Amino acid sequence: MFEYKNKVVQEDLRLMAEEHLDWHQFDGKTILVTGATGMLATYISYFLLYLKEEKGIDLKLIALCRTKSKAEKAFKNFLDKPYFKLLLQDVCNPIQYDGSIDYIFHLAGNASPHFINTDPVGIVKSNMLGTFNILELAKEKHSSKVIFASTREVYGKNEIEERLTETSFGTIDPMENRSCYPESKRAAETIFRSYFLQYGVSFNVLRIAHSYGPGMNLHSDGRVMADLMGNVVDGKDIELKSTGEALRAFCYITDAVLGIFYAALKGEPGEAYNLANETEEISIRDLAKMLVSLRKDAVLKVVFNIPETNTGYCNYRRVGLCTDKLEALGWKPNTNLYAGIKKTLDSFLD
């Protein structure tokens, strides 16, 4: 079961703590993480708690979550700790907290095709109203920095460039059904920039592409890695919704989280950074084959069930992200795809 004491999670936290970053910058700080039961946000929270418990970093963590039962399950090991607090509310409502807040990691908001198809208004609200609320809080508390989890999808459709830098913007049709997600992320980035210019609120944006790892929502998510991984964990054949020829590049969760921390601790205020692992581009078909091959205790195969209607996946031509800007801060991806997938499967099957 995925939790703080899961063996894979603990090994990941230990390895992340060895990264050459000055974790003591969090000493004496209070840190707020929004959407704290999401995959990346949970790992960020767990890692901060690991720094407190194992590395002696004197920090306090506030985990903002909507669902009490889910939050209490994720953080059951810390509910009685004086350095941990659950803040149970929707990020779309104004945030009240007595005391200082030094860093904010703003990751609240759904990104899955399932919610793009069923709750587009909720996605727009969390990315825009939620961002206004977070930035009002940061302004009030004079926070050191706010980190925002954006998406590669803000670049839209780009048929020209071979690698997308932080200025490589294409087009987004606001009338497309799935545009609730990239358009509201774009707008949120502009809201951040506006608070930076008008009120001096320091921030960094991470434009994240295809992260995966322990803590993924394997059911009713709709993203390709989650769907395929869910089949394998359940001991079922992988069912592809396409021919499998589309290419993707996936970033294991520890590399994604460390990229976020590099921006938080070393990033230039007011800047955006691409965050992806572009070292191992792979087709969906080959990804499926890799996944079934790793389930040694079951005989699984890849089958095809291609729907006639759109599934909510982004269908733009894939263009890789250029991560040179983030790498200039000292970050680089360290976990190859095979190792990352094996770790993820182990975290669910142990």
Side-chain angles (χ1 to χ4, degrees):
M1 184 180 74
F2 175 72
E3 60 167 345
Y4 179 76
K5 293 186 177 181
N6 180 285
K7 288 188 295 184
V8 173
V9 173
Q10 282 292 302
E11 177 65 7
D12 280 348
L13 299 179
R14 184 188 67 79
L15 290 172
M16 286 194 291
E18 296 176 357
E19 192 76 9
H20 296 298
L21 276 170
D22 182 10
W23 302 119
H24 286 280
Q25 289 187 53
F26 292 133
D27 227 339
K29 306 299 185 183
T30 298
I31 304 165
L32 170 66
V33 179
T34 74
T37 56
M39 182 188 72
L40 287 173
T42 301
Y43 246 60
I44 288 171
S45 300
Y46 282 177
F47 182 67
L48 291 167
L49 291 165
Y50 183 88
L51 291 179
K52 169 67 178 177
E53 294 215 322
E54 304 297 332
K55 299 298 178 180
I57 305 298
D58 184 22
L59 59 82
K60 180 177 181 179
L61 179 68
I62 307 165
L64 188 152
C65 319
R66 281 192 303 182
T67 307
K68 183 179 180 181
S69 59
K70 191 175 180 181
E72 289 181 344
K73 182 178 179 182
F75 297 105
K76 64 182 181 181
N77 298 293
F78 302 99
L79 297 175
D80 61 346
K81 304 291 187 181
Y83 50 83
F84 177 79
K85 178 178 175 59
L86 275 182
L87 194 57
L88 294 169
Q89 70 157 90
D90 193 320
V91 75
C92 295
N93 298 323
I95 300 165
Q96 303 293 327
Y97 178 77
D98 293 330
S100 63
I101 297 177
D102 300 291
Y103 288 90
I104 300 174
F105 291 84
H106 180 30
L107 291 93
N110 284 309
S112 77
H114 171 73
F115 286 101
I116 288 170
N117 288 330
T118 62
D119 188 25
V121 173
I123 287 173
V124 171
K125 282 184 175 180
S126 62
N127 284 331
M128 297 183 68
L129 291 178
T131 294
F132 272 118
N133 289 330
I134 286 299
L135 288 169
E136 281 294 309
L137 180 68
K139 183 180 71 169
E140 174 193 340
K141 302 297 184 182
H142 304 287
S143 299
S144 301
K145 188 179 279 188
V146 187
I147 301 299
F148 178 54
S150 188
T151 173
R152 65 160 287 131
E153 291 191 41
V154 298
Y155 294 117
K157 186 177 182 179
N158 190 313
E159 300 288 352
I160 301 172
E161 300 184 58
E162 293 304 316
R163 291 211 309 168
L164 301 176
T165 69
E166 284 76 3
T167 59
S168 300
F169 289 98
T171 61
I172 296 176
D173 180 355
M175 297 303 290
E176 282 187 359
N177 290 353
R178 73 178 324 280
S179 290
C180 60
Y181 180 62
E183 286 281 41
S184 60
K185 286 290 191 182
R186 268 192 178 188
E189 291 192 19
T190 299
I191 296 166
F192 268 94
R193 187 69 184 179
S194 299
Y195 270 77
F196 176 72
L197 295 173
Q198 189 164 342
Y199 303 115
V201 176
S202 181
F203 78 94
N204 286 120
V205 164
L206 279 301
R207 295 174 181 150
I208 305 170
H210 303 304
S211 59
Y212 72 100
M216 295 172 67
N217 177 16
L218 298 184
H219 304 98
S220 301
D221 182 89
R223 279 170 285 194
V224 64
M225 180 67 86
D227 287 351
L228 272 55
M229 188 80 66
N231 286 144
V232 174
V233 169
D234 291 343
K236 299 177 181 177
D237 292 339
I238 282 186
E239 184 177 294
L240 290 184
K241 303 292 186 180
S242 70
T243 60
E245 296 172 4
L247 298 174
R248 294 288 185 272
F250 296 93
C251 186
Y252 186 64
I253 191 168
T254 54
D255 290 328
V257 168
L258 284 172
I260 290 168
F261 279 120
Y262 265 93
L265 297 176
K266 300 180 73 173
E268 184 69 22
E271 291 293 318
Y273 295 89
N274 289 338
L275 175 52
N277 184 347
E278 296 288 353
T279 62
E280 292 180 272
E281 191 174 67
I282 189 171
S283 71
I284 303 304
R285 185 194 299 267
D286 288 342
L287 174 66
K289 291 178 180 178
M290 181 186 293
L291 277 160
V292 297
S293 74
L294 281 167
R295 188 69 196 265
K296 303 297 186 183
D297 59 336
V299 179
L300 304 179
K301 60 182 182 296
V302 179
V303 298
F304 295 86
N305 181 15
I306 304 173
E308 295 181 4
T309 57
N310 187 279
T311 61
Y313 291 128
C314 180
N315 58 8
Y316 299 152
R317 178 182 72 92
R318 171 174 151 71
V319 183
L321 289 188
C322 174
T323 58
D324 290 353
K325 188 175 176 181
L326 186 61
E327 290 182 41
L329 301 180
W331 173 87
K332 65 177 181 179
N334 294 308
T335 305
N336 67 50
L337 185 60
Y338 183 90
I341 288 176
K342 187 176 188 307
K343 281 187 172 190
T344 305
L345 281 173
D346 288 346
S347 75
F348 283 106
L349 295 174
D350 281 353

